[in-house]
């Protein structure tokens, strides 16, 4: 008959405590890093000259909490497009840390920039971070200019159910740089907005744009089979980030 062994309460308690220990061979988790203080300088800057770019020496002061080496990354993103503008990675110990991050900005890229600090402990675990906003302004050098519009003189309306694309391109410049162009719009003869032209290349929002960021904005009207035959007058107008508008450049084409 099998022998029954009764364990004392004290022994059970000892065994229970032993079971709570970390498994042999596994590293103990360190304290997850965090940021207890965070300050950004400057928080705003303005470009008053006609220089095409400005270099802003952003300085981040933070206090880190954790154990051992902490990987600290500072990132600057243009809030309007969520584009990464600058970043840097430093190794630091718990306590005060200062990060200097020069950021080069084109004068036309005015607006808010998100400045973010992230942390990672020596064991690879992500810690807490902090963020602030940097605001950039620049004196306007003038409104954008639509220097030319290109489109076919006529288009034949389709006979089937599929619309015929009608490509339109426009060359746009801005004295503050292309980054200052907020929108390029297609309007009818009453000024009503019909759509938008883009300078994003073929991977952007229109397949008719040949190359991104070359100052040539493109779109394609869709001509359906029930389009009225006749001559149409449209125009292209550009607007900058300050709300200034170019002179509209009209063009006509015929639907046959």
């Amino acid at each position: 008959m099998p022998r029954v062994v009764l364990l004392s309460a004290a022994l059970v308690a000892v065994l229970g405590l032993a079971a709570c220990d970390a498994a042999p061979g596994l590293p103990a988790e360190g304290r997850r890093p965090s940021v207890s203080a965070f300050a950004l300088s400057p928080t705003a800057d303005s470009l008053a000259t006609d220089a095409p770019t400005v270099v802003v020496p952003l300085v981040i002061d933070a206090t880190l909490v954790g154990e051992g080496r902490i990987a600290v990354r500072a990132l600057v993103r243009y809030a309007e497009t969520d584009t990464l503008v600058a970043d840097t990675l430093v190794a630091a110990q718990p306590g005060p840390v200062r990060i200097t991050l020069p950021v080069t900005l084109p004068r036309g890229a005015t607006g808010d920039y998100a400045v973010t600090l992230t942390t990672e402990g020596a064991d690879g675990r992500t810690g807490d971070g902090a963020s602030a906003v940097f605001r950039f302004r620049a004196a306007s050098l003038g409104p954008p200019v639509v220097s030319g519009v290109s489109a076919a003189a006529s288009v034949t309306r389709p006979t089937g159910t599929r619309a015929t694309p009608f490509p339109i391109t426009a060359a746009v410049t801005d004295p503050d740089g292309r980054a200052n162009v907020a929108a390029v719009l297609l309007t009818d003869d009453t000024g009503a907005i019909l759509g938008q032209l883009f300078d994003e290349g073929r991977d952007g929002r229109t397949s008719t744009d040949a190359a991104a960021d070359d100052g040539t904005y493109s779109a394609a009207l869709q001509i359906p089979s029930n389009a009225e035959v006749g001559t149409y007058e449209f125009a292209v107008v550009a607007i900058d980030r300050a709300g200034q508008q170019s002179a509209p450049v009209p063009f006509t084409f015929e639907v046959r």
Side-chain angles (χ1 to χ4, degrees):
M1 184 173 179
R3 182 181 179 186
V4 177
V5 179
L6 298 178
L7 300 179
S8 68
L11 183 56
V12 170
V14 171
L15 291 176
L17 290 174
C20 293
D21 291 341
L26 295 178
E29 288 188 343
R31 183 178 181 183
R32 189 184 298 273
S34 62
V35 180
S36 65
F38 180 83
L40 172 68
S41 179
T43 57
D45 196 6
S46 297
L47 179 60
T49 70
D50 61 355
T53 61
V54 61
V55 179
V56 181
L58 293 180
V59 177
I60 300 171
D61 285 299
T63 301
L64 307 178
V65 178
E67 298 175 355
R69 184 190 62 83
I70 300 174
V72 185
R73 188 181 185 193
L75 307 97
V76 181
R77 292 185 177 275
Y78 190 23
E80 184 169 326
T81 59
D82 196 32
T83 304
L84 181 64
V85 175
D87 71 328
T88 188
L89 179 65
V90 300
Q93 295 294 322
V97 62
R98 168 168 286 191
I99 299 174
T100 301
L101 182 57
V103 179
T104 302
L105 303 176
R107 67 172 303 112
T110 57
D112 292 344
Y113 291 77
V115 182
T116 305
L117 202 68
T118 65
T119 60
E120 181 180 293
D123 57 2
R125 292 195 304 161
T126 301
D128 295 331
S131 62
V133 174
F134 168 75
R135 181 159 293 174
F136 175 59
R137 296 289 182 262
S140 175
L141 300 180
V145 176
V146 179
S147 57
V149 177
S150 178
S154 64
V155 59
T156 301
R157 63 181 183 178
T159 56
T161 58
R162 180 172 297 181
T164 297
F166 182 71
I168 302 166
T169 60
V172 179
T173 58
D174 191 290
D176 295 300
R178 282 199 299 272
N180 193 46
V181 178
V184 178
L185 305 174
L186 179 67
T187 67
D188 63 15
D189 56 356
T190 69
I193 297 174
L194 302 177
Q196 188 169 348
L197 286 72
F198 298 98
D199 184 14
E200 300 175 335
R202 298 190 185 280
D203 293 332
R205 282 167 280 191
T206 175
S207 61
T208 59
D209 192 53
D213 197 32
D214 63 351
T216 299
Y217 292 74
S218 305
L221 283 174
Q222 300 299 316
I223 309 299
S225 59
N226 61 350
E228 293 186 10
V229 173
T231 300
Y232 290 78
E233 182 176 342
F234 289 163
V236 174
V237 61
I239 301 173
D240 69 11
R241 299 188 185 281
Q244 300 181 105
Q245 182 173 307
S246 72
V249 176
F251 67 98
T252 60
F253 67 95
E254 180 184 6
V255 175
R256 299 182 299 187

